[in-house]
Amino acid sequence: MASIDSLVQEWLRLDKNPTTRSEIEKLYADQNIDELEKRLRNRLTFGTAGLRSSMKSGFSGMNDLTVIQASQGLCMYLLDTIPTSVNKGIVIGHDHRHNSERFAKLTAAVFLNKGFQVYYYRGLVHTPLVPFGIKKLGASCGIMITASHNPKQDNGYKVYWDNACQIIPPHDKGIARSILNYLEPWIWDAELVNHSPLCIDNVKEISDFYFEELKALSNHREDNASSKVKFVYTAMHGVGTPVAKRAFETFSLNPFISTKEQEDPDPDFSTVAFPNPEEGKGSYAMAMKTADENDARIIFANDPDADRFSVSEKQKNGEWIIFSGNQIGIILASTVLEKYKAQGKPISKLAMLASTVSSKMLERMAKVEGFYFEETLTGFKWLGNKAVDLEQQGYEVSFAYEEAIGFMIGKIVKDKDGVSALATFAELAVQLDKRGLMISEYLEELYKKYGYFITENSYFICHSPPTINKIFNKIRFGENPVKSSESDYPYQYQISYPSTLAGNKITYIRDLTIGYDTSKPDNKANLPTSKSSHMITFGLENGCTLTLRTSGTEPKIKYYLELSGEDKEKVEKELRMITKSVADELLEPEKYELDYKTE
């Protein structure tokens, strides 16, 4: 194992940024070995989410050096796997976070240095414009510098392949290996984008094409123009305001009322603890205040890079409710379904997708209505690639969603897109208003048609990976794991999952970390498995489904619960009991010193 002295010297040999160099020099001068170990011992891992970490010096952080190294590895991997990639070019965009523009410029320089055509979006863009650009230009790859809704100290490096979808295996592992082969920076130049003839800024042209395709989703522009419905919008200090405004104009919707304090890009996210609409009323507080002051009853929110979308509605009793990702998903799915039916197309050729931790209500809708449904692993990297596969089989994949407020509508991008979701939902709200219905009342109609699907999704915070491993291994192998003595036994320890939860018998178990699935004759899961993350699903005899998983981008243990039935109050009561047992019986937050979610 390399000494900390040699790691420090290697960092100082490679790093040309005076700020991050001085950070390591100071830590070394102070002999802060613990912090140096954290920053230098382990490299920031490249995975299907690309890179995401806090911005700091060291091999484990997001900084100039690690971005250049990742770009060099990706560049050489592209040259090996797509021989025409130099001429096809790559698309690069960035958000408004600290260092995002610099990281994008350094990335572009790496590819320009190897003769790539680089479509470099100057200025801030919402994330979906990168995969859209790949599709429109026939590019070989796309990179978006963003950390989405993460805290202000984080940044990220998101990669899309030539099918305009986020990368999936084996590309992630291939890129990760390639990075290790090209650690020596071959160029460090943030100004090359300003004078290279290979660098093209066509962001206006691509944006125009994007909104042309968005316009095709609108069916009721006359109604939109004459509607008196008031909408309030918050960009959550991100890049969404200009694209949201243009989306409203494209659908002939009257201008929304902007939450002034949050409408401009602000890398410090000054008015919210977490710049994520999923975090509840704390993140919505200023938008709700704006809506109350303007007598508006509907609020739309995008996350900072505008690929996610959220909705809140003021009820008749004056209370604001924030719809869950599952509720928004089923409402949008119903809208897409009605539009598809109106076109007279064969229902058997329509396909919709959802992630495995999302509500099963879309699956129920598919059975009732007759369209094809499939679920994938969590994340739009899986949903987008599955959509491509299904289209090759002759299906029209008009909708996909994940419960984490990510929605794909139509063929604009094979990724979540908060702007197309916003415009589509606004048009639906206008149509509901014509019928005298609130959004919540329309949702109730859908529940009565397809059944009440009640979900409870939340998380605990844990900054210790060994503790997370201990919790999940306790769940799968028991408090006192017993090593397997059988030579052909597929697991290191004898499995010992719980047999009950909240007094309900567990009838089904799927563990995608070790590839175990009790629904299969050989107990082997057919969904892709990953030893680098945890994901366990339990089915209870009362029909409840529970999934526990780790996050790929945040220090969280997430849980997803769903129970369905015809009696809403009974379902809600039963689900509350099971939710309590998830903490008490499985995760044990006090024992493992987990932090609870805060508003």
Side-chain angles (χ1 to χ4, degrees):
M1 188 168 69
S3 69
I4 196 65
D5 300 278
S6 63
L7 290 173
V8 168
Q9 294 312 310
E10 178 67 359
W11 176 266
L12 295 177
R13 185 182 74 83
L14 294 173
D15 188 15
K16 292 182 171 65
N17 183 306
T19 301
T20 45
R21 279 181 65 87
S22 65
E23 285 179 17
I24 296 299
E25 286 171 338
K26 185 175 189 310
L27 290 169
Y28 192 53
D30 294 343
Q31 282 296 285
N32 190 338
I33 304 303
D34 286 346
E35 187 62 25
L36 287 168
E37 283 284 348
K38 290 177 185 176
R39 294 189 182 213
L40 298 174
R41 178 64 62 189
N42 297 309
R43 293 194 60 82
L44 179 57
T45 304
F46 189 97
T48 52
L51 301 174
R52 194 175 293 187
S53 180
S54 56
M55 291 175 279
K56 60 186 178 185
S57 58
F59 299 118
S60 67
M62 283 288 294
N63 52 64
D64 285 7
L65 177 61
T66 54
V67 166
I68 289 170
Q69 291 173 330
S71 300
Q72 292 179 169
L74 173 59
C75 179
M76 298 310 292
Y77 182 78
L78 269 174
L79 290 171
D80 288 342
T81 53
I82 305 177
T84 59
S85 59
V86 170
N87 295 325
K88 291 176 70 176
I90 67 163
V91 178
I92 298 176
H94 66 83
D95 68 5
H96 64 303
R97 285 175 178 264
H98 293 296
N99 296 311
S100 283
E101 183 178 12
R102 178 173 176 80
F103 291 161
K105 288 179 175 180
L106 291 171
T107 298
V110 167
F111 286 88
L112 290 168
N113 183 258
K114 290 297 181 183
F116 274 76
Q117 185 88 67
V118 174
Y119 300 100
Y120 177 76
Y121 293 160
R122 294 183 190 275
L124 310 179
V125 297
H126 71 311
T127 290
L129 204 64
V130 168
F132 181 80
I134 298 170
K135 180 187 82 167
K136 202 70 185 173
L137 297 164
S140 61
C141 175
I143 300 156
M144 178 68 187
I145 306 297
T146 180
S148 190
H149 55 271
N150 275 42
K152 65 180 181 181
Q153 65 268 23
D154 290 357
N155 216 324
Y157 185 104
K158 193 172 189 177
V159 179
Y160 295 85
W161 207 237
D162 65 346
N163 63 354
C165 295
Q166 293 179 48
I167 56 169
I168 56 173
H171 294 310
D172 59 327
K173 291 181 174 60
I175 296 166
R177 286 192 297 269
S178 183
I179 291 169
L180 296 178
N181 292 329
Y182 298 97
L183 297 177
E184 195 82 29
W186 65 56
I187 187 170
W188 197 305
D189 187 349
E191 299 304 318
L192 187 58
V193 295
N194 296 325
H195 50 79
S196 171
L198 292 172
C199 190
I200 297 171
D201 174 20
N202 59 350
V203 66
K204 183 183 183 304
E205 177 189 0
I206 296 300
S207 294
D208 289 345
F209 283 130
Y210 172 88
F211 284 101
E212 277 182 27
E213 292 197 21
L214 180 66
K215 188 173 184 178
L217 295 180
S218 177
N219 290 9
H220 302 285
R221 281 192 289 279
E222 286 187 13
D223 289 343
N224 294 343
S226 61
S227 175
K228 302 300 182 186
V229 177
K230 289 183 180 180
F231 300 100
V232 163
Y233 173 77
T234 173
M236 211 67 70
H237 294 298
V239 302
T241 299
V243 283
K245 284 181 178 178
R246 189 167 176 183
F248 261 56
E249 291 167 2
T250 301
F251 271 48
S252 299
L253 290 154
N254 291 312
F256 54 68
I257 301 160
S258 181
T259 305
K260 294 294 183 184
E261 300 90 339
Q262 298 175 337
E263 74 176 2
D264 294 326
D266 173 8
D268 292 316
F269 306 106
S270 304
T271 68
V272 288
F274 302 99
N276 182 358
E278 285 185 280
E279 293 294 336
K281 291 185 177 178
S283 61
Y284 262 98
M286 286 197 166
M288 289 176 176
K289 180 175 179 288
T290 300
D292 288 337
E293 289 171 351
N294 288 275
D295 195 27
R297 61 175 179 83
I298 298 174
I299 300 172
F300 293 150
N302 286 132
D303 69 338
D305 66 328
D307 64 349
R308 286 177 168 86
F309 168 69
S310 180
V311 185
S312 181
E313 182 185 51
K314 194 173 192 177
Q315 302 305 289
K316 291 175 181 176
N317 63 2
E319 179 187 356
W320 283 99
I321 62 168
I322 301 171
F323 295 99
S324 70
N326 284 318
Q327 291 170 329
I328 299 168
I330 205 67
I331 290 169
L332 285 171
S334 178
T335 305
V336 170
L337 175 63
E338 292 308 312
K339 288 183 180 180
Y340 186 89
K341 283 179 175 179
Q343 293 170 346
K345 298 177 182 178
I347 196 73
S348 61
K349 289 298 182 181
L350 173 64
M352 297 194 193
L353 304 169
S355 65
T356 188
V357 297
S358 298
S359 173
K360 308 306 176 192
M361 190 170 176
L362 184 55
E363 183 177 16
R364 174 73 62 84
M365 179 188 282
K367 288 177 181 176
V368 171
E369 303 291 349
F371 61 84
Y372 180 78
F373 169 81
E374 191 168 336
E375 71 174 20
T376 73
L377 288 179
T378 307
F380 260 88
K381 55 182 174 282
W382 302 107
L383 290 164
N385 280 280
K386 176 56 69 174
V388 171
D389 292 344
L390 289 176
E391 285 183 352
Q392 290 171 350
Q393 296 172 37
Y395 286 102
E396 183 174 334
V397 185
S398 295
F399 182 70
Y401 93 98
E402 61 180 358
E403 57 75 38
I405 59 173
F407 312 98
M408 180 195 92
I409 300 172
K411 298 179 180 180
I412 302 175
V413 290
K414 294 292 185 289
D415 198 24
K416 56 184 175 288
D417 183 354
V419 176
S420 60
L422 171 132
T424 301
F425 207 104
E427 183 165 274
L428 169 65
V430 168
Q431 291 301 304
L432 293 179
D433 185 65
K434 281 186 67 179
R435 291 174 53 195
L437 283 178
M438 298 179 66
I439 299 166
S440 56
E441 292 169 337
Y442 180 63
L443 179 62
E444 188 68 20
E445 285 186 357
L446 296 177
Y447 282 142
K448 287 177 179 175
K449 186 174 184 180
Y450 302 114
Y452 286 96
F453 286 73
I454 310 300
T455 58
E456 180 60 44
N457 303 337
S458 192
Y459 60 81
F460 289 94
I461 297 171
C462 182
H463 292 278
S464 167
T467 300
I468 291 174
N469 291 336
K470 189 180 293 185
I471 292 169
F472 277 91
N473 284 330
K474 176 207 70 169
I475 292 170
R476 64 172 61 96
F477 300 127
E479 288 280 4
N480 301 296
V482 177
K483 281 206 168 187
S484 172
S485 57
E486 302 172 36
S487 58
D488 61 345
Y489 194 71
Y491 315 115
Q492 182 181 3
Y493 297 98
Q494 294 180 18
I495 58 172
S496 182
Y497 296 97
S499 58
T500 63
L501 182 66
N504 293 279
K505 184 180 178 183
I506 293 174
T507 56
Y508 164 69
I509 302 167
R510 181 181 66 199
D511 189 335
L512 294 179
T513 304
I514 63 172
Y516 180 77
D517 190 334
T518 60
S519 71
K520 308 302 176 188
D522 57 0
N523 285 345
K524 291 183 179 178
N526 57 9
L527 282 174
T529 60
S530 173
K531 293 180 181 178
S532 63
S533 60
H534 293 285
M535 185 171 181
I536 305 175
T537 298
F538 295 106
L540 309 187
E541 63 182 344
N542 65 351
C544 181
T545 301
L546 161 68
T547 295
L548 302 168
R549 76 173 185 95
T550 48
S551 169
T553 57
E554 298 170 292
K556 294 177 179 178
I557 300 175
K558 297 185 173 185
Y559 63 85
Y560 308 81
L561 281 159
E562 181 171 61
L563 185 61
S564 62
E566 295 182 2
D567 187 331
K568 183 180 179 182
E569 290 186 4
K570 182 180 177 183
V571 171
E572 289 176 336
K573 181 180 179 182
E574 198 165 354
L575 196 62
R576 282 194 295 271
M577 293 172 59
I578 299 171
T579 302
K580 185 176 184 299
S581 293
V582 169
D584 295 347
E585 300 177 29
L586 298 179
L587 300 180
E588 301 180 272
E590 280 70 33
K591 175 180 177 180
Y592 293 105
E593 299 181 342
L594 308 180
D595 293 328
Y596 285 80
K597 173 184 177 180
T598 56
E599 280 286 342

